[in-house]
Amino acid sequence: MDFEWAQLRERCLVAEDAAVLALNKPAGISVTGERHDTDMVEMAAAQGETLYPVHRIDKVTSGLVLMAKELAAHGELTRQFNKRTAEKAYLAITASTGLPERGVIDLPLSVGRKNRVRIAAPRESIRRDGDTWRVDEADVLAGKNYPSVTEFAALAATDEHTVLALRPISGRRHQIRVHLAWIGHPIVGDPLFDRSGAYPRTHLHSWRLRLDASWRTPPVLDLEAVPEADFWAVGAIPVTTDPAALLGRAVALTTPTRNL
């Protein structure tokens, strides 16, 4: 995707103040640190703007990216991600049906061959207990693993797809993508699990962020990035004719407690 930084910044702006910049990143652009890719931080630096990423989302994922313009704000915000007090919500479209209205995926992650994230247990050991997917502790593979929990709510379904709102409680690398795929509900167009190239993008979107921000009045950042039309179009067919109503339902499911 070929954008000049000024054009990308203007088109994708969600919120900005003296300390932070929030953008609605298109799928296909890296945030920072991707080998062999020009990323957003480099693009900004080339135009004289220094930005410090508060968090990362994958290149294939669209949606909210929060960057600090000064180090004091960066430290305050990243501590909330590290302590897992930042509230995050994502949207995804799965290439499947049959998910419950609400569910929890409680599966530890590990890193396997070629640095690939996987569930830290044999696939056949994953069991569904009510509307929670888990593995017994005895089935967790030896070695380093990371407890990981994703909560979700099903917003809509067609004959072939389901639209989900998700909250990654633990926020591990590739967590939502791996969790959904390993329980049999992969995200449409996810290259980690679908090498066909049949879809122009991965249908995962960083939708909402809420963090404390001491320099603001009131002292909070409450951000939302509305998905663009390409998120809703699975191939040439939209999964909903009324995205605004669907997002309204998603907000209702996360307010006031913000728990899915």
Side-chain angles (χ1 to χ4, degrees):
M1 198 172 284
D2 185 18
F3 286 112
E4 294 292 334
W5 173 243
Q7 177 189 2
L8 181 68
R9 199 185 193 285
E10 180 181 6
R11 172 191 161 185
C12 301
L13 183 65
V14 172
E16 183 176 10
D17 63 22
V20 295
L21 173 69
L23 300 176
N24 186 357
K25 182 185 83 69
I29 298 178
S30 301
V31 177
T32 187
E34 297 283 348
R35 289 185 301 172
H36 314 304
D37 275 342
T38 299
D39 58 54
M40 297 175 78
V41 172
E42 287 183 348
M43 292 170 70
Q47 298 301 313
E49 183 171 16
T50 301
L51 296 172
Y52 308 96
V54 173
H55 65 125
R56 298 186 188 186
I57 62 175
D58 293 334
K59 176 181 177 179
V60 301
T61 304
S62 60
L64 267 174
V65 173
L66 181 60
M67 301 189 192
K69 297 159 70 173
E70 55 182 39
L71 287 173
H74 182 261
E76 178 176 336
L77 296 169
T78 54
R79 279 193 292 274
Q80 295 174 66
F81 277 91
N82 293 337
K83 293 178 180 178
R84 300 186 189 125
T85 58
E87 298 181 24
K88 300 168 286 184
Y90 284 71
L91 300 168
I93 302 174
T94 68
S96 63
T97 59
L99 284 162
E101 183 175 355
R102 292 170 183 261
V104 178
I105 308 170
D106 184 0
L107 297 173
L109 299 176
S110 66
V111 179
R113 292 181 300 170
K114 298 183 179 180
N115 202 33
R116 291 176 181 168
V117 179
R118 54 159 292 153
I119 301 300
R123 190 183 298 269
E124 60 272 15
S125 69
I126 298 172
R127 58 185 176 85
R128 180 173 172 178
D129 182 6
D131 291 329
T132 298
W133 283 259
R134 55 168 53 99
V135 292
D136 293 330
E137 187 174 345
D139 292 318
V140 176
L141 301 175
K144 198 166 187 179
N145 61 77
Y146 307 92
S148 305
V149 177
T150 303
E151 299 177 350
F152 69 83
L155 305 177
T158 68
D159 291 340
E160 298 180 354
H161 304 101
T162 304
V163 183
L164 300 176
L166 307 105
R167 190 175 113 180
I169 303 303
S170 37
R172 312 292 185 188
R173 179 168 67 99
H174 298 337
Q175 176 177 316
I176 292 174
R177 300 166 68 183
V178 172
H179 269 176
L180 287 173
W182 278 62
I183 67 167
H185 296 273
I187 296 170
V188 173
D190 187 348
L192 290 179
F193 303 99
D194 179 3
R195 302 295 179 86
S196 70
Y199 300 95
R201 62 156 294 171
T202 300
H203 291 264
L204 179 62
H205 182 83
S206 171
W207 175 44
R208 303 183 85 189
L209 274 175
R210 181 182 170 89
L211 303 99
D212 294 330
S214 63
W215 67 92
R216 295 172 66 93
T217 304
V220 66
L221 274 168
D222 198 350
L223 305 170
E224 178 177 347
V226 176
E228 295 189 352
D230 67 328
F231 174 79
W232 303 109
V234 182
I237 302 172
V239 296
T240 177
T241 57
D242 192 354
L246 205 62
L247 292 179
R249 180 165 182 263
V251 170
L253 288 169
T254 62
T255 305
T257 65
R258 299 182 181 273
N259 291 323
L260 295 175

